[in-house]
Amino acid sequence: MLVLAIESATPVAGVALVTESKLMAEHYVDYGKTHSQTLMVMVDQLLKGAGLQLGDLDALVVSAGPGSFTGLRIGMALGKGLALGAGLPLLGVSTLDGLALQAGPCDGPIWPMLDAGRGEVYTCGYRLEEGRPERVGEYRACRPERLVSEWAAEGESRVVVLGDGALRYRQLLEASPGLHLVWPPLPALLPRASSLGTLAVDRLRRGERGDAVSLVPVYARLSEAERRLQEEGR
Amino acid sequence: MGELILGIETSCDETAAALVRGGTEVLSSAVQSQVDVHRRFGGVVPEIASRHHIANIVPVVLQAVDAAGASLRDIEVVAVTNRPGLVGALLVGVSLAKGLAYALRRPLVAVNHLHAHVYANFLAHPHIELPAVCLVVSGGHTSLAYMPAHGVFEVMGETRDDAAGEAFDKVARFLGLGYPGGPAIEEAARGGAPGRYRLPRVLLDPQEYEFSFSGLKTATVNLWRRLQSEGTASVNDLAAEFQAALVDVLVEKTVHAARHTGVRTVLLAGGVAANSRLREALAERAAASGLQLFYPPLSLCTDNAAMVAACAHHLYLRGETAGLDVNAHPAVKTL
Ligand SMILES: [Zn+2]
């Protein structure tokens, strides 16, 4: 099974070719160009480098959110176009799920965080079960201060954190008394397309089938206009 | 026969796809409008528009392909609006078109939305003679351009502040007439008469082709407040006078631009080209000045993808195709 993964939920643009047993190729950039300029070029280079065509793939996977609204839609729309034109299944996998995988084997809960602006992070907790991170709870946007108090309330003293949200609020997190933070090494700190690909291969093997028609991002946050309307209604 | 182009349009609040052969023969045109979604906000909310585009884009493309009795493999060129518009909305269409063109191994053509509006005219009237003067009026734009040849637009003037459609929306909202403002004001104006109240025709420099509608908007608001305090207000009469004032300015500048450039053809385009008073007034003045006026049928005035494909036809013939790194450009204001 061969999957092309596209990661676009944060300023990192990534593409990867992944099978059950092999990370065949990966391209990762984080130098401030827009995903619209980089992603399609990277897909083309990756396929050409591997001597492959879209028709050789079994499926495509894109980041499903949460994350940057526009970033998610660029990757997903590109994935939809590729899947539609090549007649391939398209899966959405959460970038938070992918990041949790990057934490590797570790003690304690894993909390990937993506910078959500407005003093918040997109996040979700994970616990290892038989070596694999299993999600605990829903994807959500919340203030890092709140996570810290939740961890304290649950008696968590050792937490694995990663993602650009964790980096942004590093000082705040590290200033929490009685909390020991574990930071994965640099190559695992930010979203990798290969993580999405790995999770997608698992899901495809379990019989999951995605399609380009119905896939939409998980935003985990209302648009600003809807939020305001809701507040006025209150 | 001519090449089969798939057009894709997501620059504002319509998700649209169309199949057009040879730049003129519309095989299908699918438009998913979000006007009901944005009504409760009184205007287009960019983030909500983008959310609907990503949900609707593939169904709309498939609908256009099916309605044309074609398959995706029949498409020879993929065309997409990449400027100007709401950046998040444009990026959905651009990214999808990019992926689709790549997967189908077809050329991609990036189209200016305002040029596309003008090309709605050529779908309805394939034998329009150039050069022409074009007036593009919509919710986001008010531009006068000289069009010497296909695909070539030289801007003569634009609005300094509000676009014509924006002025309609703002005044309609203020008067409590509803959204979108263009049809709402036209409807109210039908029940009133221009001239009962008097609003200014802001021509700025009569020798120039720039527009300004914010003064008219303010004058309308002030007049309405005064009328209401006097207890004699007729919203229909005010709507009629506002519409007349705005149309008079557009007509005056357009006819002047045509005379100045010596063209025989005037092309009206954009969402506000659906306004019947504008069509009638411009037709009357054009006829009196020996000019031939064209405007698209109502269905092609508002945003659609057939006009995108029609415009792309000429770019494709000239070999102006886009690379894999083509981006969306929200702020290109000029034609
Ligand atoms: Zn338009």
Side-chain angles (χ1 to χ4, degrees):
Chain A
M1 178 139 15
L2 179 61
V3 168
L4 171 69
I6 299 173
E7 169 56 57
S8 64
T10 73
V12 171
V15 296
L17 286 164
V18 182
T19 75
E20 289 97 325
S21 56
K22 192 168 172 169
L23 170 52
M24 186 185 285
E26 181 161 21
H27 199 153
Y28 170 110
V29 303
D30 185 11
Y31 45 44
K33 274 197 184 175
T34 71
H35 295 333
S36 178
Q37 293 169 292
T38 55
L39 278 178
M40 188 61 237
V41 176
M42 288 162 69
V43 167
D44 182 50
Q45 286 170 351
L46 204 72
L47 288 170
K48 281 188 177 139
L52 293 170
Q53 299 181 346
L54 282 172
D56 299 321
L57 303 174
D58 293 292
L60 296 162
V61 55
V62 293
S63 33
S68 148
F69 298 161
T70 299
L72 289 171
R73 282 188 293 258
I74 291 173
M76 191 173 283
L78 186 64
K80 282 181 183 231
L82 291 168
L84 192 64
L88 290 169
L90 177 70
L91 264 73
V93 170
S94 167
T95 296
L96 290 172
D97 292 8
L99 274 174
L101 191 71
Q102 288 171 210
C106 56
D107 278 350
I110 306 162
W111 285 86
M113 298 174 215
L114 302 177
D115 186 6
R118 298 215 315 250
E120 293 186 329
V121 293
Y122 296 116
T123 191
C124 185
Y126 296 78
R127 280 186 190 285
L128 286 189
E129 274 173 36
E130 292 174 17
R132 289 287 220 175
E134 291 295 328
R135 186 159 58 89
V136 188
E138 295 301 311
Y139 305 118
R140 59 181 163 141
C142 75
R143 304 185 73 83
E145 294 91 330
R146 179 161 168 190
L147 289 179
V148 170
S149 55
E150 284 180 17
W151 295 334
E154 284 168 30
E156 304 284 9
S157 57
R158 188 183 161 85
V159 177
V160 183
V161 292
L162 69 172
D164 63 353
L167 289 171
R168 174 156 184 184
Y169 297 104
R170 183 168 203 148
Q171 278 192 326
L172 183 150
L173 295 169
E174 287 184 340
S176 314
L179 184 65
H180 179 64
L181 297 176
V182 180
W183 295 86
L186 183 64
L189 268 186
L190 295 177
R192 304 284 300 255
S194 48
S195 305
L196 294 185
T198 304
L199 292 171
V201 167
D202 281 356
R203 290 196 193 173
L204 287 161
R205 290 180 68 185
R206 289 202 299 267
E208 197 175 313
R209 287 289 172 270
D211 78 284
V213 178
S214 55
L215 188 64
V216 288
V218 175
Y219 295 104
R221 182 191 266 174
L222 289 176
S223 68
E224 194 63 24
E226 286 167 307
R227 200 180 56 82
R228 249 182 268 127
L229 209 64
Q230 229 179 35
E231 275 174 6
E232 281 164 20
R234 237 171 247 154
Chain B
M1 278 286 278
E3 80 293 341
L4 184 61
I5 302 188
L6 167 68
I8 294 174
E9 158 63 44
T10 62
S11 68
C12 191
D13 62 339
E14 329 276 352
T15 315
L19 261 65
V20 176
R21 191 176 285 288
T24 52
E25 187 194 347
V26 182
L27 304 187
S28 66
S29 178
V31 181
Q32 171 92 50
S33 172
Q34 301 173 13
V35 65
D36 294 333
V37 175
H38 297 282
R39 185 169 279 126
R40 67 188 171 125
F41 300 102
V44 178
V45 180
E47 172 58 22
I48 294 175
S50 300
R51 290 186 180 197
H52 282 82
H53 285 310
I54 190 73
N56 295 334
I57 185 78
V58 173
V60 167
V61 167
L62 292 176
Q63 192 189 330
V65 171
D66 286 351
S71 81
L72 285 166
R73 310 279 343 157
D74 298 327
I75 295 165
E76 290 166 86
V77 178
V78 178
V80 64
T81 302
N82 81 325
R83 64 195 190 280
L86 306 171
V87 67
L90 285 166
L91 281 167
V92 172
V94 167
S95 303
L96 182 113
K98 224 187 258 193
L100 186 58
Y102 182 82
L104 294 173
R105 300 159 184 277
R106 300 292 191 262
L108 177 66
V109 176
V111 171
N112 179 317
H113 181 79
L114 300 176
H115 298 185
H117 268 303
V118 171
Y119 272 93
N121 279 295
F122 292 87
L123 288 170
H125 318 283
H127 303 296
I128 294 171
E129 274 182 40
L130 297 178
V133 157
C134 310
L135 174 66
V136 182
V137 266
S138 71
H141 306 281
T142 305
S143 302
L144 259 178
Y146 174 63
M147 183 185 183
H150 276 294
V152 184
F153 295 87
E154 293 165 17
V155 180
M156 300 180 69
E158 303 188 287
T159 180
R160 288 186 187 173
D161 37 61
D162 292 349
E166 203 178 349
F168 270 113
D169 280 344
K170 286 177 176 171
V171 167
R173 193 183 317 155
F174 175 75
L175 296 177
L177 294 173
Y179 172 86
I185 289 203
E186 189 174 353
E187 177 62 32
R190 227 170 269 136
R196 304 265 295 273
Y197 305 127
R198 194 66 195 161
L199 286 167
R201 272 65 175 161
V202 184
L203 286 168
L204 301 175
D205 180 346
Q207 298 311 310
E208 295 294 330
Y209 304 102
E210 301 229 296
F211 300 93
S212 170
F213 295 117
S214 76
L216 172 60
K217 180 188 67 192
T218 308
T220 308
V221 167
N222 291 341
L223 178 57
W224 181 243
R225 289 206 174 112
R226 205 188 74 221
L227 291 169
Q228 275 191 317
S229 71
E230 289 166 1
T232 59
S234 156
V235 72
N236 291 348
D237 286 339
L238 186 64
E241 174 63 11
F242 167 78
Q243 178 178 261
L246 193 144
V247 162
D248 285 353
V249 172
L250 292 173
V251 169
E252 196 54 47
K253 293 271 180 191
T254 306
V255 170
H256 181 60
R259 280 213 201 99
H260 177 79
T261 52
V263 303
R264 305 293 312 272
T265 308
V266 173
L267 304 177
L268 175 61
V272 179
N275 183 283
S276 57
R277 181 165 178 108
L278 175 58
R279 287 171 177 236
E280 285 158 18
L282 192 53
E284 217 170 89
R285 281 293 302 281
S289 309
L291 296 164
Q292 256 209 306
L293 172 71
F294 296 94
Y295 47 75
L298 289 178
S299 62
L300 292 175
C301 282
T302 45
D303 288 354
N304 65 85
M307 68 187 196
V308 175
C311 183
H313 168 73
H314 297 279
L315 298 173
Y316 171 69
L317 290 185
R318 287 212 301 263
E320 291 182 29
T321 56
L324 298 179
D325 62 346
V326 65
N327 208 349
H329 303 281
V332 180
K333 280 222 160 130
T334 55
L335 264 172

